[in-house]
């Protein structure tokens, strides 16, 4: 997923970064009724992260007897707004949105506010929280900084060359990368920084160019595990098995790669936790209710991030609902 950086000054990422039958959403949207509340979930894309996020939203909605309508915007800002308008026309009580675009999000909120439909965000939070019901937000800069901290400790003060395989240009990738590069120690030099577009095929091309141009590369930060697997194969094929990869997600496959040394570290960022938090807090905030522990939910839920290495793989949260 990617969020264009234009206009980002109006937005903030909150510090660490949520029965009736529920029908899985498709590109054009779907849904089912039966609960006392009806929520619309507008997903941003069809990546592994987004798929797990939707599964978590669906399961938590079913558990809470909430009717759910779903739609997917497929990284298209115009489609996202059309999905929002469609959800409003269906009479949903609230919207949960994984936006594709910062500027699209502004239009979404304006449209929802005009229709008096509360909106709850996943991954990002607005700077002016009076415009939204709430958010389950991830601190993407801190995510990058956690990986940089591992490199700083591992390098131990020796001069090292570092590469970056970013996602698609936009806020999600840019925030991760800036958090990473800003937290690197002075002895670490960033010698390459190219977008892999959150696409393993593109990431392979970037990795090939990177290792050819910088055969002394020591570390690479990769903006998600799908791209990191492609980069690992590319470096190994080029005889650069010593390049150490740090990344993010915390999938079962990623944790296995940390255990066997293909990745040196990954930051666990669980869509399961985000999706469950989003539904639970939307329901509670709509009804003025407390959560199961008797506390009122925070308007901005801070999703925990954990740096995972081979020493603490067991501490990673579940990534995707079964």
């Amino acid at each position: 997923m990617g969020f264009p950086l234009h206009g980002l000054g109006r937005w903030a990422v909150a510090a660490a970064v949520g029965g009736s039958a529920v029908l899985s959403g498709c590109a054009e949207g779907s849904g089912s009724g039966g609960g006392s509340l009806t929520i619309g979930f507008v997903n941003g894309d069809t990546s592994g992260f987004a798929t797990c996020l939707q599964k978590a939203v669906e399961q938590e909605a079913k558990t809470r007897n909430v009717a759910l309508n779903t739609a997917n915007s497929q990284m298209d800002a115009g489609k996202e707004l059309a999905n929002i308008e469609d959800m409003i026309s269906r009479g949903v009580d609230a919207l949960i949105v994984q936006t594709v675009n910062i500027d699209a999000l502004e239009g979404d909120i304006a449209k929802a506010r005009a229709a008096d439909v509360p909106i709850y965000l996943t991954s990002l939070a607005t700077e002016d929280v009076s415009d939204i019901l709430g958010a389950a937000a991830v601190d993407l800069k801190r995510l990058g900084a956690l990986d940089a901290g591992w490199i700083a400790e591992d390098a131990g003060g020796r001069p090292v060359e570092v590469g970056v395989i970013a996602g698609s240009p936009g806020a999600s990738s840019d925030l991760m990368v800036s958090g990473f590069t800003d937290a690197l120690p002075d002895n670490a030099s960033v010698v390459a920084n190219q977008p892999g577009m959150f696409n393993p095929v593109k990431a392979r091309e970037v990795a090939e160019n990177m290792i050819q141009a910088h055969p002394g590369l020591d570390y690479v930060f990769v903006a998600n595990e799908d791209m990191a697997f492609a980069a690992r194969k590319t470096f190994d094929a080029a005889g650069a098995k010593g390049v150490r990869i740090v990344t993010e997600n915390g999938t079962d496959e990623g944790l296995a790669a940390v255990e066997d040394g293909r990745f040196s570290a990954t930051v666990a960022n669980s869509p399961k936790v985000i999706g469950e938090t989003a539904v639970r807090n939307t329901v509670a905030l709509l009804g003025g209710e407390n959560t199961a522990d008797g506390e009122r939910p925070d308007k901005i839920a801070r999703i925990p991030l954990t740096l995972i290495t081979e020493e603490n793989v067991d501490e990673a949260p579940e990534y995707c609902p079964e």
Side-chain angles (χ1 to χ4, degrees):
M1 82 195 94
F3 303 88
L5 193 57
H6 174 66
L8 188 60
R10 295 167 298 174
W11 307 92
V13 179
V17 70
S20 63
V22 179
L23 186 63
S24 177
C26 62
E28 297 304 317
S30 60
S32 64
S36 58
L37 282 176
T38 299
I39 292 174
F41 174 56
V42 179
N43 209 345
D45 60 63
T46 56
S47 66
F49 179 95
T51 299
C52 290
L53 177 64
Q54 179 153 324
K55 194 177 292 187
V57 168
E58 290 172 345
Q59 290 189 7
E60 189 69 11
K62 184 175 181 180
T63 296
R64 295 180 178 277
N65 195 32
V66 170
L68 185 70
N69 295 321
T70 67
N72 197 296
S73 302
Q74 299 175 323
M75 290 303 296
D76 183 323
K79 191 175 182 100
E80 179 169 294
L81 185 56
N83 284 334
I84 296 289
E85 292 171 337
D86 178 62
M87 292 292 181
I88 291 171
S89 72
R90 297 189 191 197
V92 298
D93 296 298
L95 287 161
I96 297 174
V97 178
Q98 173 78 9
T99 190
V100 306
N101 179 293
I102 288 291
D103 292 327
L105 182 57
E106 184 175 25
D108 297 344
I109 291 174
K111 182 69 68 172
R113 280 175 60 85
D116 199 26
V117 176
I119 193 165
Y120 192 98
L121 304 176
T122 54
S123 295
L124 293 178
T126 54
E127 194 169 66
D128 180 3
V129 298
S130 66
D131 286 340
I132 60 173
L133 179 66
V138 177
D139 186 344
L140 296 172
K141 291 198 73 169
R142 180 172 178 269
L143 187 157
L146 286 171
D147 274 333
W150 184 89
I151 290 176
E153 183 175 348
D154 189 68
R158 64 187 172 88
V160 293
E161 293 186 355
V162 180
V164 174
I165 301 178
S168 56
S172 66
S173 176
D174 292 349
L175 288 166
M176 280 190 282
V177 170
S178 65
F180 173 76
T181 57
D182 290 350
L184 285 172
D186 292 339
N187 55 294
S189 299
V190 178
V191 297
N193 183 346
Q194 296 176 258
M197 305 305 293
F198 293 115
N199 183 308
V201 175
K202 178 64 176 176
R204 183 183 294 272
E205 295 174 5
V206 171
E208 287 174 350
N209 294 335
M210 194 174 288
I211 199 63
Q212 288 174 6
H214 305 283
L217 200 62
D218 296 292
Y219 301 94
V220 176
F221 170 75
V222 188
N224 73 13
E225 289 175 359
D226 284 345
M227 293 194 298
F229 280 114
R232 177 76 279 158
K233 291 178 182 177
T234 301
F235 293 144
D236 290 353
K241 294 186 177 182
V243 175
R244 298 184 178 187
I245 289 176
V246 294
T247 184
E248 70 93 16
N249 279 145
T251 64
D252 290 345
E253 296 81 4
L255 297 179
V258 170
E259 285 188 297
D260 65 24
R262 284 173 290 166
F263 300 162
S264 293
T266 191
V267 177
N269 174 26
S270 169
K272 179 178 185 291
V273 173
I274 295 171
E276 290 173 349
T277 300
V279 175
R280 181 175 64 248
N281 287 6
T282 295
V283 172
L285 291 166
L286 278 175
E289 301 171 1
N290 295 335
T291 55
D293 59 7
E295 299 292 329
R296 287 283 291 147
D298 292 333
K299 186 162 191 170
I300 306 302
R302 307 180 189 281
I303 302 302
L305 298 170
T306 306
L307 179 73
I308 301 297
T309 66
E310 61 182 357
E311 286 82 19
N312 68 335
V313 170
D314 292 342
E315 296 179 15
E318 186 177 358
Y319 186 80
C320 196
E322 295 182 358

